[in-house]
Structures are given as structure tokens and as C-alpha cells.
Amino acid sequence: MRSLRLSLSASLLLAAGATAPAFANPETCANLWTARNEIYKAQGYCFRTQRAIAAFGNAGCQYDNIEDVPLSANDRRVIADIVRQERALRCPR
């Protein structure tokens, strides 16, 4: 259920950003970043950046390599959609 909820919130963010200008405001980029990383956190990814560790922590994480995180086809699609939106909006990486 958590995965579905995350996917729905990510979808809402993506739909809202579909008509955004070429450059998003920092809040939009932060929301997309959070939605993307919530999916990874829910599946046990061990974050490396201080920003992600501060936001999500690494308690209970299982996967150091992002390619090893067991994502469903839907999670992969949502993450790809979010990444495309982040690139289109020129969000910082």
C-alpha cells in the first residue's frame, strides 16, 4: 500500500508540473526529489548523500547499490517519470 500511495503522490506532482515553466521553483524540485527518494527508502536503499541521510536516515537499509534495490515495474516507471520531470525543470542534482 505504501508503494501505491507514493506512486499516487508522485503522479500528482508530475501532473502538476506538466504545465510548469522551463525552470521550476526550488519547492517543486524538492517535492520531486522527496517523492523519488521515498520510493527508494521504502525498498531499503542505503543513502549516501548527507541530504538524503538527513531526510530519510539509513536505519534498516539493506542495499548499498541502487541497482540492487528490488523495485516493482510501477516503481521503476514512477521513478523514471520523476527523473524526466526533474530534468525538464532543470532541477539541481
Side-chain angles (χ1 to χ4, degrees), residues 5-85:
R5 190 179 91 235
L6 292 172
S7 298
L8 291 175
S9 66
S11 295
L12 292 173
L13 284 170
L14 292 170
T19 59
F23 293 95
N25 68 39
E27 184 177 337
T28 300
C29 289
N31 289 339
L32 290 167
W33 178 88
T34 299
R36 177 172 46 83
N37 285 295
E38 281 178 338
I39 297 169
Y40 286 119
K41 173 63 176 177
Q43 298 306 320
Y45 180 61
C46 299
F47 294 100
R48 296 179 184 173
T49 67
Q50 288 303 314
R51 177 184 178 197
I53 294 168
F56 301 104
N58 273 334
C61 71
Q62 302 171 13
Y63 304 97
D64 291 323
N65 188 336
I66 205 159
E67 281 80 31
D68 293 338
V69 178
L71 298 171
S72 69
N74 186 59
D75 286 340
R76 291 184 190 284
R77 181 190 57 76
V78 171
I79 288 169
D81 289 345
I82 292 170
V83 169
R84 275 192 291 276
Q85 186 69 21

